[in-house]
Amino acid sequence: MTNAQLEIQLIAALVAVACAIPGVFLVLRKMAMISDAISHSILVGIVVGFFITQDLNSPLLILLAAVTGVVTVILVEFIQKTGLVKEDTAIGLVFPALFSIGVILIAKHANDVHLDIDAVLLGELAFAPFDHLIVGDTDIGPKSLWVIGTILVINLTLLILFFKELKLSTFDKGLAATLGFSPLLLHYGLMTVSSVTIVGAFDAVGAVLVVALIIAPPATAYLLTDDLKKMLLLSCFFGIFAAISGYWVANALDASIAGSMTTMLGVVFLLVYLFAPKQGVFSVFYKERQQRIEVSLLVFLLHLQNHQEKEERHVNHLQEHINWEKVKAKTVLELATKNNLIHISENIVSLTEKGQEFTDEALKYITTNKETAIEELKDRFFLFRG
Amino acid sequence: MREEPYAIKIDDLTVAYNYKPVLWDIDLVIPEGVLMAIVGPNGAGKSTLIKSILGIVKPIAGSVQVFGKPYKKQVDKVAYVPQKGSVDWDFPTIALDVVMMGTYGSLGWIKRPGQKEKKQALEALEKVGMLEFRDRQISQLSGGQQQRIFLARALVQNASIYLMDEPFQGVDATTEKAIINILKELRKAGKTLIVVHHDLQTVPEYFDWVTFLNVKGIASGPVKDIFNDDNLTKTYGINYKVAVNK
């Protein structure tokens, strides 16, 4: 691995972590799309900042761009508060307008400078190693690394200091307000941090892809955990993983780095979405099927308990009277036999002692409807868990 | 004339959303140590009244005093139990953590909750009968259990005044009994409880003080004196007959 390769991956990983931190809170506040708005409208800030400073490396540029981000949020909220349009519409109204002003300004006045639309949309991570920061006579590494590194340190510090406040105001704005933690202050704090982060990441991954880095890792982590701290850690992990694996995919395909990183974010989300142990598509499908069979089993056992007549307890009766298709009847019978809940002699089904007990307990659960009862029931008569 | 000690005093309070008044010229004195129901039809401004006491909603006129001072100076004396539906229960956290949020007010900015706060939260969970669910993800709790978690969170605030927005909404009879018993215990300990309530039948059984509200204040006082068909009719507009057990 060359030095340049290492630098690119390091920058990408730092960008991913810096984005994941505000991203988690934006996703939980159902404000993910505001990052899309910010990431586009900051272009105006960058261009105007460039006109003022005439220097693409000026920190003032970042500051002005971040201010534009916050202004975007304020504009969106202002339009929304009139009650005439909904939030998503307000977002859609604000950022294209600001973005297009930026595009026109670049075309009119900045054609000859190094600020082009391609880079704005997709970033220029591959060039990051060519732009080193020189202090005095010493080369202290790529400029992007310093920019995003600083932003990351700020984000981490703020997160650690205000974790409690962010959690509270995200979960329950009303309580936050009554306890004296101004939700408004925290809201605009988060918006400022998001704007600064997006501006910093903008250089590396561009306006469109930064949105993926903010939204995809938290969305993926949300499928895997019930714990906010773990959600933050997992988001960082997924971000870093996509950044580094994306770099190597780009390397292999000789394609856009930012594009490959985002593709990897998508791939990771898809995999988790399908295979997550609790909330994944397959797991939910499997659990629902299990549940259906367990309920059918209960119905069947209750039927046996209710009827002493032989014709009601004949194996074929399952299909004829309870009206179940063959496969289902067979699955239920097998499950009951396997768990020693029934025994079958001469095609007549009877409840065993254990079956009797189970049915009684289940009945109690159904009538008292106590949530704890079923958990205990599951522990004692592990139907599928055996 | 000597003034009775009061918990909350509201003078000429008017709240409006755009041009429509939601609360109109409310004068209300809530004595210390009462268990009070706020009753009134939908849109009467019951939740708004609570929110304006807490300063979440800004009034266009009037003032609210909590033990003689504005709410902002008495934040630690007031606990608020919002409507269950006001938060997203899919938020990634557990029951214990939500209860601990009640301690954040006394902690202030930046400082983290520690063992002391955890102990308080566990005690509150025990009081509401939810100790065994302390590690349960909050979306996995039933509606009644979520309501109890909210109540426990208010308990750890260890306030003098409790404001509750429909704590009995969507809970089963057992939970309702459990909650009202805790409220009665709190009153015995000298706390003031203000509860937005919908079920008129249970008012005489649960509460000792009642405020009738329908945008304007209709009446406020001891349940045994003023909970009658006359006030109910004034509040709900229709000729109201409630079986009040006397």
Side-chain angles (χ1 to χ4, degrees):
Chain A
M1 219 177 349
T2 66
N3 238 353
Q5 283 180 321
L6 197 68
E7 280 173 4
I8 290 175
Q9 287 175 70
L10 191 60
I11 293 168
L14 293 188
V15 169
V17 176
C19 287
I21 293 171
V24 165
F25 292 99
L26 290 177
V27 166
L28 288 176
R29 286 165 177 246
K30 304 183 179 65
M31 297 179 61
M33 284 321 283
I34 205 83
S35 63
D36 194 22
I38 295 175
S39 72
H40 283 79
S41 49
I42 54 172
L43 183 63
V44 184
I46 293 178
V47 179
V48 172
F50 177 70
F51 288 157
I52 296 172
T53 60
Q54 294 295 320
D55 175 11
L56 271 176
N57 294 325
S58 163
L60 185 69
L61 214 72
I62 294 182
L63 210 70
L64 268 172
V67 169
T68 325
V70 178
V71 168
T72 310
V73 176
I74 294 172
L75 277 176
V76 168
E77 282 166 358
F78 179 77
I79 294 178
Q80 194 195 339
K81 263 195 201 126
T82 60
L84 299 173
V85 291
K86 297 265 179 277
E87 189 188 9
D88 53 345
T89 315
I91 291 177
L93 284 169
V94 171
F95 84 79
L98 289 172
F99 182 71
S100 50
I101 294 172
V103 171
I104 291 173
L105 285 177
I106 293 180
K108 280 304 270 181
H109 303 290
N111 252 342
D112 48 341
V113 285
H114 166 70
L115 188 66
D116 58 80
I117 300 297
D118 263 8
V120 165
L121 289 174
L122 300 170
E124 42 190 16
L125 198 51
F127 302 129
F130 300 117
D131 188 8
H132 275 222
L133 208 57
I134 317 283
V135 177
D137 285 332
T138 29
D139 177 352
I140 55 165
K143 191 197 105 198
S144 307
L145 194 62
W146 281 95
V147 172
I148 200 66
T150 312
I151 291 171
L152 177 60
V153 170
I154 294 172
N155 284 5
L156 274 174
T157 314
L158 290 174
L159 174 72
I160 291 167
L161 284 178
F162 299 112
F163 178 74
K164 178 185 90 202
E165 288 78 4
L166 278 168
K167 182 170 74 177
L168 175 64
S169 69
T170 302
F171 175 61
D172 192 342
K173 227 164 55 176
L175 184 73
T178 61
L179 291 180
F181 302 104
S182 163
L184 208 66
L185 187 67
L186 287 159
H187 170 71
Y188 283 110
L190 179 63
M191 288 305 127
T192 309
V193 166
S194 304
S195 295
V196 172
T197 309
I198 290 169
V199 177
F202 188 87
D203 224 21
V205 292
V208 180
L209 304 184
V210 67
V211 180
L213 276 174
I214 286 185
I215 301 176
T220 313
Y222 202 9
L223 294 175
L224 287 171
T225 179
D226 292 336
D227 180 328
L228 182 56
K229 279 182 191 157
K230 280 187 197 140
M231 186 173 166
L232 278 159
L233 284 174
L234 278 174
S235 299
C236 295
F237 168 76
F238 286 132
I240 294 172
F241 175 80
I244 291 173
S245 60
Y247 172 77
W248 290 107
V249 169
N251 214 9
L253 300 175
D254 192 19
S256 148
I257 298 173
S260 306
M261 274 168 58
T262 311
T263 308
M264 285 312 292
L265 285 171
V267 169
V268 170
F269 177 80
L270 185 69
L271 287 175
V272 172
Y273 175 71
L274 290 176
F275 300 108
K278 263 199 221 154
Q279 299 180 51
V281 171
F282 287 122
S283 152
V284 167
F285 177 78
Y286 179 68
K287 254 188 288 184
E288 276 174 2
R289 190 178 155 271
Q290 278 194 348
Q291 231 170 35
R292 270 202 303 276
I293 293 173
E294 281 179 344
V295 169
S296 305
L297 176 73
L298 268 177
V299 170
F300 173 55
L301 294 177
L302 279 174
H303 180 77
L304 286 179
Q305 205 184 33
N306 278 341
H307 294 280
Q308 301 307 316
E309 319 81 287
K310 279 209 167 117
E311 63 271 25
E312 287 281 347
R313 294 193 282 125
H314 196 272
V315 173
N316 291 340
H317 170 76
L318 272 174
Q319 274 153 262
E320 288 161 15
H321 287 230
I322 305 191
N323 205 7
W324 285 343
E325 64 269 38
K326 224 172 186 164
V327 185
K328 187 168 170 188
K330 197 161 164 267
T331 322
V332 170
L333 266 182
E334 271 172 8
L335 183 69
T337 322
K338 204 179 81 193
N339 283 291
N340 285 328
L341 297 171
I342 53 167
H343 62 79
I344 306 170
S345 62
E346 291 167 23
N347 281 337
I348 301 295
V349 191
S350 326
L351 284 174
T352 62
E353 215 166 280
K354 189 182 167 199
Q356 198 71 258
E357 194 191 340
F358 174 76
T359 316
D360 287 341
E361 296 264 341
L363 204 62
K364 220 192 290 169
Y365 158 68
I366 292 166
T367 49
T368 59
N369 199 12
K370 270 209 169 154
E371 208 177 327
T372 40
I374 193 77
E375 292 303 325
E376 199 198 342
L377 210 62
K378 280 180 173 173
D379 284 342
R380 279 175 50 208
F381 305 92
F382 48 93
L383 295 180
F384 282 101
R385 288 151 199 82
Chain B
M1 202 178 90
R2 196 176 64 91
E3 280 207 17
E4 289 289 311
Y6 64 86
I8 292 175
K9 188 159 177 276
I10 297 172
D11 288 311
D12 308 325
L13 183 78
T14 299
V15 178
Y17 293 135
N18 299 322
Y19 282 107
K20 193 173 171 285
V22 189
L23 291 173
W24 205 332
D25 204 23
I26 306 284
D27 289 302
L28 182 64
V29 174
I30 303 169
E32 204 178 338
V34 295
L35 176 47
M36 182 182 100
I38 302 177
V39 297
N42 289 332
K46 302 184 295 286
S47 298
T48 309
L49 181 63
I50 283 197
K51 283 181 186 155
S52 40
I53 293 173
L54 292 162
I56 300 176
V57 172
K58 294 270 170 287
I60 57 171
S63 67
V64 176
Q65 295 210 312
V66 179
F67 294 121
K69 289 181 194 158
Y71 169 75
K72 277 231 151 83
K73 296 204 169 128
Q74 305 279 35
V75 172
D76 53 335
K77 292 207 170 66
V78 182
Y80 170 46
V81 181
Q83 280 188 19
K84 211 170 65 228
S86 67
V87 303
D88 176 11
W89 290 93
D90 279 330
F91 191 82
T93 192
I94 56 170
L96 176 65
D97 199 41
V98 172
V99 178
M100 293 229 301
M101 288 178 186
T103 66
Y104 288 7
S106 58
L107 284 169
W109 287 84
I110 297 178
K111 227 179 127 198
R112 297 288 185 88
Q115 283 307 313
K116 190 182 127 212
E117 284 75 22
K118 191 174 171 185
K119 210 177 131 240
Q120 289 172 351
L122 287 171
E123 280 167 12
L125 275 168
E126 176 140 43
K127 256 186 220 158
V128 299
M130 288 288 295
L131 195 58
E132 58 179 314
F133 297 100
R134 60 182 176 274
D135 294 323
R136 184 76 68 90
Q137 154 68 21
I138 53 172
S139 63
Q140 306 293 317
L141 299 167
S142 70
Q145 290 170 335
Q146 290 173 345
Q147 195 63 61
R148 288 188 201 205
I149 292 298
F150 263 7
L151 183 60
R153 190 177 70 176
L155 289 179
V156 299
Q157 283 180 248
N158 198 17
S160 307
I161 300 174
Y162 289 80
L163 299 169
M164 306 190 178
D165 205 345
E166 299 195 25
F168 303 117
Q169 194 189 40
V171 306
D172 61 19
T174 328
T175 307
E176 185 162 325
K177 284 275 165 332
I179 293 177
I180 196 67
N181 283 337
I182 292 166
L183 299 193
K184 285 181 171 170
E185 242 172 67
L186 285 169
R187 183 194 47 193
K188 251 182 231 159
K191 316 279 188 188
T192 309
L193 298 112
I194 297 154
V195 181
V196 172
H197 194 57
H198 256 305
D199 182 8
L200 295 169
Q201 307 287 343
T202 52
V203 169
E205 184 191 340
Y206 290 173
F207 301 95
D208 57 10
W209 207 267
V210 63
T211 291
F212 291 95
L213 187 73
N214 191 357
V215 186
K216 290 174 141 193
I218 311 284
S220 182
V223 170
K224 60 177 173 19
D225 297 342
I226 68 156
F227 192 71
N228 51 39
D229 290 348
D230 186 32
N231 279 327
L232 284 165
T233 307
K234 273 189 204 155
T235 310
Y236 287 86
I238 42 170
N239 201 6
Y240 220 99
K241 290 262 182 278
V242 166
V244 184
N245 5 317
K246 282 187 176 162

